[in-house]
Amino acid sequence: MTYVPYEKRCIELSSGNCFIYPFCNIERKSSMLELILDNNALVNAKEWLNDIRKNENFDKILLSKSDQLCIVPSLYLAFVEQYLSNSNYSTDIIQRTDNFIEPFKKLGIPFGDDFSSNIERLLIQNEKQNKTDWIMSYLYIILLFRITFAKKGENKPFELLKELKNKNVPCFSSIIMLCCLAEFLNKNKNIKMINDDRPAYSYLSSFINTHTAQKGETGLEEKYFRNRAGDLSFWLSVPKLLQDDYDPMGELMVVTKDKALKKLIFRCFPFVLEADKKMRVIFDTNSFDEQYSKEILSLIKEAIWEFSPPNSDEEKITRLSNLKNHVLDGLDDNVKKEVEKVWDEWLINGFGLNYKP
């Protein structure tokens, strides 16, 4: 298999924003790029758009000096995050969308006259579907939180991870792999990735922790689940797009400044793209020294299992209910109330609904 190392996949600009090519088994062949933006990259578009006009950054992005750089911004996922998490945006979608696309228009990137009204229509008529897709990972986030912050001698979170394969629960293999990495890093907090000067655990703990001052999170609550689920949804947006037969207008790259995403998650867990457009997440063993990678792989092999896809929405909900009961084992009633609130208001309402184009 062709292997594209992280150093070639990740282009860090002078502002700290990164263009990340998500595939580790296919070489990038073009400087025509479709850029999938996270919410921060949308909000701070002027920053990284100014970056790419500087020679030192421009040259990093081009495959060769004879190439011509062409970028097509893919903004819908970032607008979904705005709509679901920013009440100010949802009260004036058209005007605020116009404001967001203005920096791109100044660079000559075309947008149809009805672009912002179409975004408003899509967001409103697919709100339930987007909420369900957005929050789908939140039960696994509870497990990830418990593993990341398990105290010395507290084995319950690690046991919950190992017991998943014996339960009738959904197998979100990508997040399970992240949970396995979290277990290893929790037990080896000072280990660094190759050519990195910070312990890998610091990226994970900062990412999965609650952020009261910055995001108003006070614990394992709806706002926290929404924010973390959004970050993980962005990581997994590329395979979902391609598996839904999306036809990119260039080489897909994600744009993010989030430290955990660019330094840990997209580095350790790139995508492999098969000929039939099926994708899978793998653990990049070159992220850590060989001895550590072997330990992480061992945890992954122990946790991942062969599973049969559910046959109906009812079966999906049954598996999610089983997962909810499993990851909540031993947690207090306040957390359980927040989990049920998200379950009722966000997760279930969109099941069985088709996306309206």
Side-chain angles (χ1 to χ4, degrees), residues 39-81:
N39 183 57
N40 183 270
L42 175 68
V43 171
N44 297 297
K46 290 180 183 178
E47 180 181 67
W48 60 267
L49 286 173
N50 286 332
D51 261 359
I52 64 175
R53 285 182 279 184
K54 299 174 184 176
N55 288 336
E56 66 270 22
N57 293 316
F58 194 81
D59 291 342
K60 288 180 186 177
I61 299 168
L62 290 178
L63 278 182
S64 69
K65 292 186 177 180
S66 62
D67 273 0
Q68 182 176 0
L69 178 63
C70 178
I71 63 170
V72 178
S74 180
L75 306 177
Y76 183 68
L77 291 172
F79 286 133
V80 169
E81 181 168 354

Side-chain angles (χ1 to χ4, degrees), residues 268-309:
C268 292
F269 299 109
F271 303 120
V272 169
L273 179 62
E274 309 290 0
D276 58 1
K277 287 191 176 181
K278 288 185 178 178
M279 296 181 64
R280 54 191 173 93
V281 175
I282 67 164
F283 170 61
D284 188 343
T285 56
N286 293 296
S287 302
F288 292 87
D289 287 339
E290 184 178 3
Q291 67 191 85
Y292 304 137
S293 287
K294 285 182 178 179
E295 292 181 47
I296 297 165
L297 275 177
S298 177
L299 290 171
I300 290 172
K301 288 177 181 177
E302 187 176 357
I304 299 293
W305 70 95
E306 295 289 334
F307 72 101
S308 300

